[in-house]
Short mmCIF file of all heavy atoms in Angstrom, two decimals:
data_model
loop_
_atom_site.label_atom_id
_atom_site.label_comp_id
_atom_site.label_asym_id
_atom_site.label_seq_id
_atom_site.Cartn_x
_atom_site.Cartn_y
_atom_site.Cartn_z
N GLU A 1 2.39 9.27 2.81
CA GLU A 1 1.82 8.73 1.58
C GLU A 1 1.36 7.29 1.78
O GLU A 1 0.26 6.92 1.36
CB GLU A 1 2.84 8.81 0.44
CG GLU A 1 2.27 8.31 -0.87
CD GLU A 1 3.27 8.39 -2.01
OE1 GLU A 1 4.47 8.63 -1.77
OE2 GLU A 1 2.84 8.19 -3.14
N VAL A 2 2.18 6.49 2.42
CA VAL A 2 1.84 5.07 2.60
C VAL A 2 0.84 4.89 3.75
O VAL A 2 -0.20 4.26 3.57
CB VAL A 2 3.12 4.24 2.86
CG1 VAL A 2 2.76 2.82 3.28
CG2 VAL A 2 3.99 4.24 1.61
N LEU A 3 1.13 5.45 4.92
CA LEU A 3 0.29 5.18 6.09
C LEU A 3 -1.04 5.94 6.06
O LEU A 3 -2.07 5.38 6.45
CB LEU A 3 1.05 5.48 7.37
CG LEU A 3 2.27 4.59 7.62
CD1 LEU A 3 3.03 5.05 8.85
CD2 LEU A 3 1.85 3.14 7.75
N ASP A 4 -1.03 7.19 5.62
CA ASP A 4 -2.29 7.92 5.52
C ASP A 4 -3.09 7.53 4.29
O ASP A 4 -4.29 7.74 4.24
CB ASP A 4 -2.05 9.44 5.51
CG ASP A 4 -1.57 9.97 6.86
OD1 ASP A 4 -1.79 9.30 7.89
OD2 ASP A 4 -0.98 11.07 6.88
N GLY A 5 -2.41 6.96 3.31
CA GLY A 5 -3.08 6.55 2.09
C GLY A 5 -3.61 5.13 2.11
O GLY A 5 -4.18 4.67 1.13
N THR A 6 -3.43 4.44 3.23
CA THR A 6 -3.89 3.06 3.36
C THR A 6 -4.89 2.97 4.51
O THR A 6 -4.58 3.32 5.64
CB THR A 6 -2.73 2.10 3.63
OG1 THR A 6 -1.72 2.26 2.64
CG2 THR A 6 -3.18 0.65 3.66
N THR A 7 -6.10 2.52 4.22
CA THR A 7 -7.13 2.40 5.24
C THR A 7 -7.12 1.00 5.85
O THR A 7 -6.54 0.06 5.27
CB THR A 7 -8.53 2.68 4.66
OG1 THR A 7 -8.84 1.65 3.72
CG2 THR A 7 -8.61 4.05 4.02
N LEU A 8 -7.79 0.87 6.96
CA LEU A 8 -7.95 -0.46 7.57
C LEU A 8 -8.63 -1.41 6.60
O LEU A 8 -8.23 -2.57 6.48
CB LEU A 8 -8.77 -0.36 8.87
CG LEU A 8 -8.12 0.30 10.06
CD1 LEU A 8 -9.12 0.42 11.19
CD2 LEU A 8 -6.89 -0.47 10.51
N ASP A 9 -9.64 -0.92 5.91
CA ASP A 9 -10.37 -1.76 4.96
C ASP A 9 -9.44 -2.28 3.87
O ASP A 9 -9.49 -3.46 3.52
CB ASP A 9 -11.52 -0.94 4.35
CG ASP A 9 -12.40 -1.78 3.46
OD1 ASP A 9 -12.88 -2.84 3.92
OD2 ASP A 9 -12.60 -1.38 2.31
N GLN A 10 -8.58 -1.41 3.36
CA GLN A 10 -7.64 -1.83 2.30
C GLN A 10 -6.64 -2.86 2.84
O GLN A 10 -6.31 -3.84 2.16
CB GLN A 10 -6.91 -0.63 1.74
CG GLN A 10 -7.80 0.29 0.93
CD GLN A 10 -7.12 1.61 0.61
OE1 GLN A 10 -6.42 2.19 1.46
NE2 GLN A 10 -7.30 2.09 -0.61
N ALA A 11 -6.14 -2.63 4.05
CA ALA A 11 -5.19 -3.57 4.65
C ALA A 11 -5.86 -4.91 4.94
O ALA A 11 -5.23 -5.96 4.82
CB ALA A 11 -4.58 -2.97 5.91
N LEU A 12 -7.12 -4.87 5.33
CA LEU A 12 -7.86 -6.09 5.64
C LEU A 12 -8.13 -6.91 4.39
O LEU A 12 -7.94 -8.13 4.37
CB LEU A 12 -9.17 -5.74 6.35
CG LEU A 12 -10.04 -6.91 6.80
CD1 LEU A 12 -9.32 -7.75 7.84
CD2 LEU A 12 -11.36 -6.38 7.34
N THR A 13 -8.54 -6.26 3.32
CA THR A 13 -8.91 -6.97 2.10
C THR A 13 -7.74 -7.25 1.16
O THR A 13 -7.85 -8.07 0.27
CB THR A 13 -9.98 -6.19 1.32
OG1 THR A 13 -9.41 -4.95 0.88
CG2 THR A 13 -11.22 -5.94 2.17
N GLY A 14 -6.66 -6.51 1.35
CA GLY A 14 -5.51 -6.66 0.45
C GLY A 14 -5.62 -5.80 -0.79
O GLY A 14 -4.75 -5.85 -1.66
N ALA A 15 -6.68 -5.01 -0.89
CA ALA A 15 -6.86 -4.10 -2.02
C ALA A 15 -6.08 -2.81 -1.73
O ALA A 15 -6.66 -1.74 -1.55
CB ALA A 15 -8.34 -3.80 -2.24
N LEU A 16 -4.79 -2.95 -1.67
CA LEU A 16 -3.92 -1.86 -1.26
C LEU A 16 -3.79 -0.80 -2.35
O LEU A 16 -3.88 -1.12 -3.54
CB LEU A 16 -2.54 -2.41 -0.88
CG LEU A 16 -2.55 -3.42 0.27
CD1 LEU A 16 -1.23 -4.13 0.39
CD2 LEU A 16 -2.92 -2.73 1.58
N PRO A 17 -3.55 0.45 -1.96
CA PRO A 17 -3.43 1.52 -2.95
C PRO A 17 -2.18 1.34 -3.81
O PRO A 17 -1.20 0.72 -3.40
CB PRO A 17 -3.37 2.79 -2.12
CG PRO A 17 -3.07 2.38 -0.72
CD PRO A 17 -3.46 0.94 -0.59
N PRO A 18 -2.21 1.91 -5.02
CA PRO A 18 -1.07 1.79 -5.93
C PRO A 18 0.25 2.27 -5.33
O PRO A 18 1.30 1.71 -5.65
CB PRO A 18 -1.48 2.64 -7.14
CG PRO A 18 -2.94 2.79 -7.06
CD PRO A 18 -3.31 2.66 -5.62
N GLU A 19 0.20 3.29 -4.47
CA GLU A 19 1.42 3.79 -3.86
C GLU A 19 2.11 2.71 -3.02
O GLU A 19 3.33 2.67 -2.92
CB GLU A 19 1.14 5.00 -2.95
CG GLU A 19 0.60 6.21 -3.67
CD GLU A 19 -0.90 6.11 -3.97
OE1 GLU A 19 -1.59 5.26 -3.38
OE2 GLU A 19 -1.37 6.88 -4.81
N VAL A 20 1.31 1.84 -2.45
CA VAL A 20 1.85 0.75 -1.63
C VAL A 20 2.30 -0.41 -2.51
O VAL A 20 3.42 -0.92 -2.40
CB VAL A 20 0.81 0.28 -0.58
CG1 VAL A 20 1.29 -0.94 0.16
CG2 VAL A 20 0.48 1.41 0.37
N THR A 21 1.42 -0.83 -3.42
CA THR A 21 1.75 -2.00 -4.22
C THR A 21 2.93 -1.75 -5.16
O THR A 21 3.74 -2.65 -5.37
CB THR A 21 0.52 -2.48 -5.04
OG1 THR A 21 0.02 -1.40 -5.83
CG2 THR A 21 -0.58 -2.98 -4.11
N SER A 22 3.03 -0.53 -5.68
CA SER A 22 4.16 -0.26 -6.58
C SER A 22 5.48 -0.25 -5.81
O SER A 22 6.49 -0.75 -6.30
CB SER A 22 3.96 1.05 -7.32
OG SER A 22 3.98 2.14 -6.43
N ARG A 23 5.48 0.30 -4.61
CA ARG A 23 6.71 0.27 -3.80
C ARG A 23 7.07 -1.15 -3.40
O ARG A 23 8.22 -1.54 -3.44
CB ARG A 23 6.55 1.15 -2.56
CG ARG A 23 6.53 2.62 -2.85
CD ARG A 23 6.26 3.41 -1.56
NE ARG A 23 5.94 4.78 -1.82
CZ ARG A 23 6.83 5.77 -1.87
NH1 ARG A 23 8.10 5.51 -1.66
NH2 ARG A 23 6.45 7.00 -2.11
N ALA A 24 6.08 -1.92 -3.00
CA ALA A 24 6.33 -3.31 -2.57
C ALA A 24 6.70 -4.22 -3.74
O ALA A 24 7.32 -5.26 -3.54
CB ALA A 24 5.11 -3.84 -1.84
N ALA A 25 6.34 -3.84 -4.98
CA ALA A 25 6.64 -4.64 -6.16
C ALA A 25 8.13 -4.57 -6.52
O ALA A 25 8.63 -5.44 -7.24
CB ALA A 25 5.80 -4.21 -7.34
N ASP A 26 8.82 -3.57 -6.02
CA ASP A 26 10.24 -3.43 -6.30
C ASP A 26 11.01 -4.50 -5.50
O ASP A 26 10.96 -4.49 -4.27
CB ASP A 26 10.71 -2.03 -5.90
CG ASP A 26 12.19 -1.80 -6.14
OD1 ASP A 26 12.91 -2.74 -6.53
OD2 ASP A 26 12.63 -0.66 -5.92
N PRO A 27 11.70 -5.43 -6.15
CA PRO A 27 12.41 -6.48 -5.43
C PRO A 27 13.40 -5.93 -4.40
O PRO A 27 13.65 -6.56 -3.37
CB PRO A 27 13.14 -7.24 -6.54
CG PRO A 27 12.39 -6.94 -7.79
CD PRO A 27 11.83 -5.56 -7.61
N LEU A 28 13.97 -4.76 -4.67
CA LEU A 28 14.92 -4.18 -3.72
C LEU A 28 14.25 -3.78 -2.41
O LEU A 28 14.92 -3.69 -1.38
CB LEU A 28 15.63 -2.97 -4.36
CG LEU A 28 16.51 -3.28 -5.57
CD1 LEU A 28 17.09 -1.98 -6.12
CD2 LEU A 28 17.61 -4.24 -5.19
N ALA A 29 12.95 -3.54 -2.45
CA ALA A 29 12.24 -3.15 -1.24
C ALA A 29 12.24 -4.28 -0.21
O ALA A 29 12.12 -4.03 1.00
CB ALA A 29 10.80 -2.76 -1.57
#
């Protein structure tokens, strides 16, 4: 979900998919 759902373009620009940003938004992460 995270690795296949994130493209180089998204990682380069920081426009990450919601699956990534929502997981990273959790302080426990």
Side-chain angles (χ1 to χ4, degrees):
E1 181 180 12
V2 171
L3 295 175
D4 289 340
T6 306
T7 66
L8 289 175
D9 186 53
Q10 291 169 320
L12 182 64
T13 64
L16 299 168
E19 297 80 16
V20 174
T21 56
S22 65
R23 289 175 193 268
D26 180 354
L28 295 178

